[in-house]
């Protein structure tokens, strides 16, 4: 039920001018905190709701940021992207409208149209893993300021916020080299993933920087099934142990790392005393669920979400923004003893 209260009644209840209420509705940051509290209190008491459509017709900003995503709201790996968006949007006096395609590119143009109908001030397109996107999918939003989150356009048509996968991989492997690991095996994700390609470069750079032997690369998702991406990981771990005798294993993500630790426990191989395990993601639901707790390279989703919302409010900033991926040290990684292990 729509409130029949008017802006004049709000002004009278707050003991301020109608112009002051109007200024607050256009930009909450343009009045003092004391005045803002008076206006908000009056609006709540009178159940006043400003008309977005009416304000938009006058050319006034709605203070809404539209977010179109493939599946970040339904992926447990991505909730910190949303948290970061919400935190920074709130700091900027904005609110989010989120529409999700469920992974269907065909639905993206219509979702953009719906958000445009709500007169959003800017649009963020977000994906649940780091990847390139086709800028043609977003052509319906030509008149809107657009920001990409966890993805990028091949020709750099839009400002984009992505994780620095190469830097994270380089520093993750450097951490192992500094702990005297020389026989390292990297279990990679699918080779066509952009994150896999960038991390591969980072691992090679770490080896070169430390004058160390390059790690052994194996495809950790080989033999997977639709129900279990790592269905063949146990056999792969067994082969790696037999052929390469590693002192450390690096996983493509924390889910893979948790499975690797299970495989090592099954063989009565102590982690980290015999083999250290390093993950990638720093997934909050996994890193403390393994035994021992998992050392992991953090995907900075919270910072990425915040940066994207800030960029949405500042059309002057352009380019690709890379957020650092830092190593979070826990008990699954330890140094090699002077006599070596395994």
């Amino acid at each position: 039920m729509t409130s029949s209260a008017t802006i004049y009644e709000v002004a009278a209840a707050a003991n301020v001018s109608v112009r002051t209420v109007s200024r607050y509705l256009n930009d909450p940051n343009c009045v003092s905190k004391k005045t803002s509290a008076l206006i908000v209190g009056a609006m709540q008491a009178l159940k006043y709701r400003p008309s977005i459509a009416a304000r938009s017709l006058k050319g006034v900003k709605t203070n809404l940021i539209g977010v179109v995503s493939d599946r970040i709201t339904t992926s447990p790996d991505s909730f910190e992207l949303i948290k970061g968006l919400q935190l920074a949007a709130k700091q900027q006096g904005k609110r989010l409208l989120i529409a999700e395609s469920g992974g269907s590119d065909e639905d993206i143009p219509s979702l953009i149209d719906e958000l445009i109908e709500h007169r959003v001030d800017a649009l963020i397109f977000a994906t649940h893993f780091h990847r390139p996107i086709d800028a043609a999918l977003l052509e319906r939003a030509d008149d809107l300021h657009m920001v990409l989150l966890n993805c990028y356009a091949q020709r750099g048509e839009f400002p984009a916020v992505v994780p620095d996968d190469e830097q994270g991989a380089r520093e993750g492997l450097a951490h192992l080299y500094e702990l005297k690991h020389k026989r390292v095996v990297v279990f990679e994700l699918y080779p066509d993933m952009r994150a896999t390609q960038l991390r591969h470069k980072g691992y090679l750079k770490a080896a070169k920087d430390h004058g160390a032997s390059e790690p052994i690369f194996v495809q950790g998702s080989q033999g997977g099934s639709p129900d279990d991406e790592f269905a063949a990981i146990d056999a792969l771990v067994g082969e790696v142990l037999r052929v390469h005798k590693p002192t450390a294993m690096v996983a493509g993500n924390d889910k893979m790392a948790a499975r690797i630790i299970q495989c090592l426990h099954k063989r009565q191989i102590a982690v980290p005393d015999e083999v250290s395990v390093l993950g990638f993601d720093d997934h909050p639901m996994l890193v403390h669920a393994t035994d021992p707790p998992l050392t992991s390279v953090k995907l900075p989703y919270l910072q990425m979400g915040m940066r994207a919302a800030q960029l949405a409010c500042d059309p002057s900033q352009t380019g690709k923004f890379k957020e650092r991926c830092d190593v979070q040290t826990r008990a699954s990684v330890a140094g090699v003893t002077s006599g070596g292990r395994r």
Side-chain angles (χ1 to χ4, degrees):
M1 180 174 179
T2 303
S3 169
S4 59
T6 68
I7 190 173
Y8 299 96
E9 292 171 312
V10 171
N15 197 27
V16 298
S17 68
V18 172
R19 182 180 178 185
T20 299
V21 176
S22 179
R23 287 172 57 216
Y24 169 82
L25 293 175
N26 294 344
D27 181 4
N29 297 316
C30 75
V31 300
S32 68
K33 289 183 178 180
K34 180 180 178 180
T35 301
S36 177
L38 290 171
I39 295 171
V40 170
M43 290 171 60
Q44 291 175 342
L46 295 170
K47 297 183 179 179
Y48 175 79
R49 296 291 184 271
S51 167
I52 291 176
R55 290 164 62 197
S56 298
L57 289 173
K58 298 175 185 177
V60 174
K61 288 186 176 182
T62 60
N63 289 321
L64 295 174
I65 299 174
V67 180
V68 176
S69 83
D70 51 8
R71 51 170 65 93
I72 67 170
T73 65
T74 55
S75 171
D77 301 333
S78 306
F79 77 92
E80 285 210 333
L81 286 175
I82 299 173
K83 182 179 179 181
L85 286 169
Q86 290 174 329
L87 285 172
K90 185 176 182 179
Q91 291 171 359
Q92 301 287 329
K94 308 290 185 181
R95 294 291 182 267
L96 302 178
L97 285 182
I98 301 178
E100 188 153 291
S101 72
S104 171
D105 285 352
E106 293 179 358
D107 292 338
I108 290 173
S110 62
L111 293 176
I112 291 175
D113 286 344
E114 290 177 17
L115 291 173
I116 290 174
E117 288 174 7
H118 281 80
R119 302 294 195 272
V120 294
D121 298 333
L123 196 64
I124 296 171
F125 183 76
T127 57
H128 78 294
F129 67 89
H130 185 182
R131 65 180 177 92
I133 57 104
D134 182 359
L137 284 173
L138 310 177
E139 61 186 8
R140 304 287 270 273
D142 273 352
D143 295 332
L144 273 179
H145 176 49
M146 170 73 71
V147 175
L148 304 182
L149 174 57
N150 211 23
C151 56
Y152 60 95
Q154 295 279 19
R155 291 184 293 180
E157 293 93 331
F158 309 104
V161 183
V162 296
D164 196 341
D165 282 291
E166 181 176 344
Q167 165 266 322
R170 186 179 71 248
E171 294 190 10
L173 187 54
H175 179 60
L176 296 178
Y177 285 144
E178 288 162 6
L179 293 172
K180 310 303 181 184
H181 288 277
K182 296 180 179 179
R183 300 192 304 277
V184 179
V185 174
V186 175
F187 292 73
E188 295 187 300
L189 297 173
Y190 295 107
D192 59 345
M193 293 178 64
R194 185 57 177 155
T196 301
Q197 297 161 4
L198 291 170
R199 292 176 194 178
H200 192 97
K201 290 174 60 177
Y203 294 133
L204 294 178
K205 181 70 163 51
K208 183 178 180 180
D209 290 346
H210 285 76
S213 299
E214 294 179 359
I216 302 296
F217 294 97
V218 297
Q219 216 280 292
S221 297
Q222 61 180 289
S225 68
D227 296 327
D228 185 358
E229 180 183 356
F230 309 122
I233 196 72
D234 185 73
L236 183 58
V237 167
E239 180 182 359
V240 163
L241 289 169
R242 178 177 57 82
V243 175
H244 301 293
K245 296 180 172 54
T247 62
M249 297 181 177
V250 179
N253 60 31
D254 290 344
K255 288 180 284 187
M256 186 192 294
R259 292 287 289 273
I260 289 173
I261 289 175
Q262 288 179 348
C263 295
L264 294 172
H265 286 336
K266 173 183 173 181
R267 291 168 172 81
Q268 297 184 331
I269 295 173
V271 179
D273 293 338
E274 294 180 85
V275 177
S276 288
V277 178
L278 174 68
F280 211 117
D281 282 352
D282 200 47
H283 195 301
M285 296 177 65
L286 289 174
V287 292
H288 295 290
T290 60
D291 182 19
L294 183 64
T295 294
S296 185
V297 179
K298 185 178 184 65
L299 283 176
Y301 282 163
L302 180 70
Q303 292 78 9
M304 288 167 57
M306 293 185 69
R307 175 71 71 102
Q310 291 162 357
L311 290 174
C313 299
D314 185 2
S316 68
Q317 297 195 56
T318 60
K320 183 184 285 188
F321 298 82
K322 297 180 182 180
E323 296 291 336
R324 283 185 52 82
C325 301
D326 292 322
V327 180
Q328 308 298 308
T329 57
R330 300 185 184 89
S332 70
V333 169
V336 176
T337 59
S338 58
R341 288 183 291 180
R342 291 196 59 78

